[in-house]
Amino acid sequence: MSTLTALIIVLAILMTIVGGETGIRSFFSVLINTMLLILVAILISWGISIPILILIFIPLKLVTIIFLGTHDYTVAKNSFYAAFLVCLIVSVLILGCQWLAQAAGMGPEAGEVLVGLSQMPGLSYPMIAVAVAIFSSLGAIAEAAVAMSSGLLEIKKHNPNISRMNLIASGNRIGSDVLGTAMNTILFGMFGSFLSLFLWYFRLNYSMGEVLNEKLFVNEALIIMYSLIGVLLTVPLSTIFLSRGMNKNGVKDGSK
Amino acid sequence: MKAKNKKRYIIALIVAVIGLVLTACTYFATNIYSRDDVAVITDNVIKDRLIEKDKDVYNNVDQTREQTLHLKVLSGKYKGRTFTTKNVYYPSQMVSQKYRARQRIFVNIKKGDPAIVNPKRDWVLVLALTVTIALMIAIVGRHSFALIISMALSWLIFYLVIVLDVHMNGAHIILLFSLADIIFSFFGLLIDQGFNKKMLATWLATLLGVFISFGLCYLVMQLTGESEMKYETGDYATQDPRGIFLAQTLLGILGAVMDESTDIISSLYELVQTRKDITVNQLIKSGRTMGQEIMGPLINVLVLIFISGALPMTIIYLRDNNSLGSAFGFTLSLGATQSVISAIGIVLTVIFATGCSLLFLKNKKWKWGKKE
């Protein structure tokens, strides 16, 4: 048995024991999510328009993460709307920043790795870089949206007559925790993903100025910031969506 | 409350203005770089000529194009001089770069012959950082200072660990990054929560989560003989790639485990504070419910980070008619393994975080016993 298979089996068992039914659902959400990402790679390699793929796969991936990961329908629906809107805003930001930074494509070692591979694939690597940035930050946005919505709904449950102003104030307080929860995950995830690159810079005596202008470093640092901005935008947007949805529900309850 | 918010927005605005000034300074900076010189492309419209249309063995259609660029050097001993140079690029821009009119770039001039190195990108980083920090202050308020300091400290420690690793030439890399994890989590939690019992419990849960899950996965790797672990496919390997992979795993897992422990333990601590009669069983049940909610999304965050990073490479492998299996083996298998190990860490942390929060309960009961 390969190590990866063995580890996946261990993970499945642990998630079932610790998580119960939610755990099993989360396991499948992760699995489907990974497969969707590989599917994106396949479709892009076939030459299908990348912006269209991005627009189709953002909601697909959000649905997998949010609806399979949470069991409260109101939380899931609210998080989905907020996360989708944030993803669209962040996509625009990413398009702008990537256009300014021109940090697409393979890094300085490319020549060595790419021996035997096509260097002129006829695909737009600037667009691929945008796709990578969007999908990297999408997970953090979805997580933040779920945490925000479930936290706010909890407050609403204990305090049904809470005013909109108070709800927004509570939202900001929860937002600070949510950001704290996301920040280290994103930062160390990126450290863990790019450690070898940093070692490479250091061993090849790159100067500070060179590193700060180097394609892959800029790309990575930008992805960390897109994710943080995404998480930050989720805080007010989740609150707004929830308080709107609440008002509608309030009317419904009143008419009953 | 309103006045407080207003103050917050004013500070955010000030930070934004300072950030924009710094962005402009970085954009126009020319003399702070040691190796290459800064130049500006003086053309308003760049002459861009098609050299040939290409079709490679994989039937990929691309072009070879050539830009004629007029440069004015802004720093170094050639300052003020102008050059004309050519830049060949492919529109897919995978390994080549297309330049834009009026853009600032780095050049390396040897014997009066300029070679273009890179576009100037650092000011975009400053700009993005400005947006992030201003937004953070506007939305989160005062707490953002702790977050920013914690993040800056993480970068600093990360830098020091790399210096140390290169100094030790990659020896004892697992030990080094284990120690790094201990230090990272201590300072991260200290800044976030201050030095108290809650912070120590969170720290303990984090360390248990990281090291026990890493140990477990290491055991599984040994038992399966690390079969199909293609360490040689790791990018930018300047030292033993297996060591680098293990160190990357130790780092990648830490953030998620730390955040998760903080989340679970803080909430359970609140619970113990507000409901003094809570039983051990109730506490375990609450911890488990919280863990179930949090683990799926957290795992997804890491999976997306680890797998997305490998997408450009996967796409080129698939484009060149490799099978999905071989493309996966070459570009995704290490990232996928790293994701699974981190996921195991995240799941196990639910147990450790809940377990560590029982410490407050016992201590509390014990204290009450004394008082009575």
Side-chain angles (χ1 to χ4, degrees), chain A residues 2 152 228:
Chain A
S2 83
L152 284 172
L228 288 177

Side-chain angles (χ1 to χ4, degrees), chain B residues 6 9 19 37 67 74 86 89 95 108 123 126 134 151 161 179 208 222-223 231 269 294 296 310 333-334:
Chain B
K6 208 169 178 188
Y9 294 138
D37 292 323
Q67 293 179 308
L74 300 173
K86 297 217 178 334
Y89 75 98
V95 285
N108 196 340
W123 60 279
V126 183
M151 202 149 75
V161 172
L179 280 175
L208 285 173
Q222 293 297 319
L223 286 177
Y231 294 122
Y269 183 75
I294 201 175
S333 72
L334 283 187

Side-chain angles (χ1 to χ4, degrees), chain B residues 223-241:
Chain B
L223 286 177
T224 50
E226 299 183 28
S227 71
E228 290 174 41
M229 295 287 293
K230 295 192 171 79
Y231 294 122
E232 70 280 6
T233 63
D235 294 340
Y236 304 101
T238 42
Q239 58 195 52
D240 166 35

Side-chain angles (χ1 to χ4, degrees), chain A residues 63-134:
Chain A
V63 165
T64 343
I65 299 175
I66 293 172
F67 282 87
L68 274 175
T70 38
H71 49 248
D72 188 318
Y73 180 70
T74 324
V75 170
K77 198 180 69 176
N78 192 62
S79 330
F80 176 78
Y81 289 144
F84 189 45
L85 188 61
V86 172
C87 279
L88 292 181
I89 299 173
V90 171
S91 301
V92 174
L93 179 85
I94 290 174
L95 268 173
C97 279
Q98 292 290 356
W99 187 82
L100 290 175
Q102 292 190 298
M106 302 295 176
E109 202 198 21
E112 197 178 310
V113 184
L114 290 173
V115 172
L117 288 169
S118 166
Q119 312 237 335
M120 318 166 66
L123 295 168
S124 162
Y125 263 76
M127 223 36 229
I128 291 176
V130 170
V132 167
I134 292 173

